[in-house]
Amino acid sequence: VQLQASGGGLVQAGGSLRLSCALSGRTFGLYTTAWFRQAPGKEREFVAGISTSSGIKPYADSVKGRFTISRDNAKNTVYLQMNSLKPEDTAVYYCAGDYRRKVGSAWTTDNGYNYWGQGTQVTVSS
């Protein structure tokens, strides 16, 4: 499977962006897809995840209530709607996928994902 992230950009604090992760190749059986982000000088961190059926959608505490993950299986695309953006949301955002189902904290561990997109830059100005 290949993943391609897009939709990043420069936005003022309080604004919104929607990121897209286009999936191609062997998408059948890709049970988990997630968004991670990495700010300069910081480790990569989990943002949100979604299961194939959209029945499981864990979020990092820092984005709960502001970000919404969703997917359109007909379009093989996973979205991250980001509202009420803050300067601390500035980072390179990556989408990741894995064929294994995940439970609990396994969603948040980046080494549990075998497939990664190239990243898209999100910059939030104050």
Side-chain angles (χ1 to χ4, degrees):
V1 67
Q2 294 79 45
L3 300 90
Q4 183 165 357
S6 62
L10 173 64
V11 64
Q12 288 187 331
S16 299
L17 280 174
R18 188 177 79 158
L19 305 184
S20 298
C21 177
L23 311 175
S24 60
R26 195 195 128 194
T27 59
F28 179 79
L30 193 74
Y31 289 112
T32 56
T33 311
W35 288 95
F36 285 76
R37 66 186 181 186
Q38 187 166 23
K42 294 188 177 181
E43 293 186 352
R44 188 159 53 188
E45 64 175 0
F46 172 81
V47 176
I50 190 166
S51 61
T52 303
S53 64
S54 302
I56 302 172
K57 291 189 279 188
Y59 291 90
D61 288 344
S62 58
V63 307
K64 279 181 182 176
R66 300 188 298 123
F67 291 11
T68 302
I69 191 169
S70 62
R71 69 187 303 151
D72 185 335
N73 288 333
K75 295 182 178 180
N76 286 328
T77 303
V78 174
Y79 303 99
L80 185 68
Q81 178 67 43
M82 306 185 295
N83 298 328
S84 301
L85 282 161
K86 304 175 181 180
E88 50 264 44
D89 294 317
T90 295
V92 177
Y93 283 70
Y94 299 91
C95 57
D98 199 66
Y99 292 102
R100 297 165 292 182
R101 291 180 174 90
K102 300 190 184 302
V103 177
S105 62
W107 279 93
T108 66
T109 305
D110 62 357
N111 62 12
Y113 294 82
N114 286 325
Y115 302 93
W116 291 83
Q118 81 288 7
T120 185
Q121 175 71 47
V122 172
T123 303
V124 184
S125 63
S126 57

